[in-house]
Amino acid sequence: MATDVYREAFKLAGTIRDKYLRAVTYAKIGYYMYRAKNPLYKDAFKYALNATASIETPPLMAKALIEVASYLSRVSLNTAKKTFHQSYEVILSFPQPLRDDMLVSLSERLLEIGLVDDALFYAQDIEDMVKRNDLLLKILRVYLKRGNMRKAYLIVGRIEEEPWRSIGAIETIKEHLKREEFGSAIRVLSEIKSEYWLGEAMKEVAVYLKNSDVPMATYEKFVDIALSMSGESGFEVLRSLLIGLAVQGEIPFVMSILEKLPSEQREEILLGIAQAIVDKEQYLSNFLDAVHGEGFDKVAHVVMDKLLERRPSEDYVPVVMKIGARSSDDAVLVKVVRYLSKVGRFGESWEFAGKVRGNYLRSLAFGSIAVEKLRVGDIDGAIDAALEVKDPRWGSWLLSEILTRILELEAEGKVREDIEEKAKAQRKFWDGE
């Protein structure tokens, strides 16, 4: 490009009345002159800084300094850093929330340029917790991408508030896993205080282990490290890990570890798995097959409660049938009966209801059948179900309730499902006699 073109650009830039635009334009000219190896580029940047200094409005001056420094960074990093710092010094005098907003803009621009350490330095002066922590997570991700684990760990340590601290920890753990730094991953895990986020972190670990096709020795290493940790935090790490692995289908491995634990810890983890694995229909049946002894009914309680919280599905009937066949707990059988009745499996639900021994629970079992029979318009079937409770008190109560619901169905066209609540109230009434 001819020299006279640059001279003309200088001349025209000087006629720009808006001082902010004049400063930025001079910076652009300086950058392109530098690329063209024109030694006068320094003059262009000098004019840019002079135009910036003449801006009367401090916020606009700070923005101009950031823009000029951005172009300078492509020419001279040291000079750019000084200019960015000038902007920072101007910003510190601003009232809130403008001060924080400008510090965010400054730090984000430094991130874009690649001056991550500088971005971190200025970000720490942001007072607003949300803005500061959101920015620290952005900076953390850049350090992780660069493989600077020391700085990443430093940032996680500086974030005190949740959920940012735990999110940062999980991001760091994922990078440690990619690098197969399992001991470091566990160390970060142990510092997560939130039970929810610890569970989320262990899900990430479990998914990684499953998808990476690592040898079983790697699974065992995680377990050994968790077992070696003292106190409640060690158990929580182990608990979350085993639940995460179970949900990924590693049932045999998880059960082999549980066998080595004290019964109280084993039961707590089993119940945690039961809650988490209900959504994984393909693994739920295998999990139930692996649970033996007294723990089965406790697990069955949890599974049935979770299943009854959602819309009944034929997909889960085999699992429910398995629970009904194995359980000797009347309360579990009542839940089995209720579920099967809801999906229209009246033959099977009747069979399980017949196994319930206690009069109160038996009334609930056949009451569930009766209500669902009414729902499909089978009034005779509902009465037959009510008559299956032979105890004079509970049999009479259930028949009364079903007859009432028959009349409600005729009058209102719907059937209430509050048999269990009504039964509890009736039992309380009789207990108070």
Side-chain angles (χ1 to χ4, degrees), residues 210-275:
K210 181 72 174 180
N211 293 340
S212 300
D213 196 28
V214 296
M216 196 57 65
T218 303
Y219 288 70
E220 292 167 352
K221 180 183 288 189
F222 268 94
V223 172
D224 289 342
I225 295 173
L227 287 171
S228 70
M229 295 167 60
S230 60
E232 189 65 25
S233 62
F235 174 69
E236 283 302 320
V237 169
L238 179 64
R239 175 182 177 277
S240 299
L241 173 62
L242 293 180
I243 290 173
L245 290 173
V247 171
Q248 291 299 314
E250 297 293 339
I251 306 296
F253 174 78
V254 170
M255 299 308 291
S256 69
I257 300 301
L258 289 179
E259 290 174 1
K260 303 173 185 177
L261 299 180
S263 59
E264 185 177 329
Q265 291 185 349
R266 180 168 61 248
E267 181 179 305
E268 183 176 339
I269 294 174
L270 281 173
L271 297 181
I273 294 172
Q275 287 200 354

Side-chain angles (χ1 to χ4, degrees), residues 114-150:
L115 297 174
V116 190
D117 290 346
D118 298 75
L120 175 60
F121 176 80
Y122 297 126
Q124 293 175 92
D125 277 337
I126 298 171
E127 294 177 358
D128 183 276
M129 176 183 71
V130 175
K131 293 174 183 176
R132 181 181 66 251
N133 288 332
D134 281 347
L135 184 56
L136 285 175
L137 286 181
K138 289 181 181 179
I139 297 170
L140 170 70
R141 291 181 183 112
V142 175
Y143 279 131
L144 290 174
K145 190 174 181 180
R146 292 183 172 187
N148 192 334
M149 304 307 292
R150 186 183 65 81

Side-chain angles (χ1 to χ4, degrees), residues 59 62 66 87-107 122-128 131-132:
I66 292 173
S87 175
Y88 166 71
E89 290 176 335
V90 174
I91 290 169
L92 288 181
S93 66
F94 295 168
Q96 295 289 18
L98 177 61
R99 179 180 181 274
D100 279 353
D101 289 340
M102 288 298 296
L103 283 173
V104 170
S105 297
L106 171 60
S107 295
Y122 297 126
Q124 293 175 92
D125 277 337
I126 298 171
E127 294 177 358
D128 183 276
K131 293 174 183 176
R132 181 181 66 251

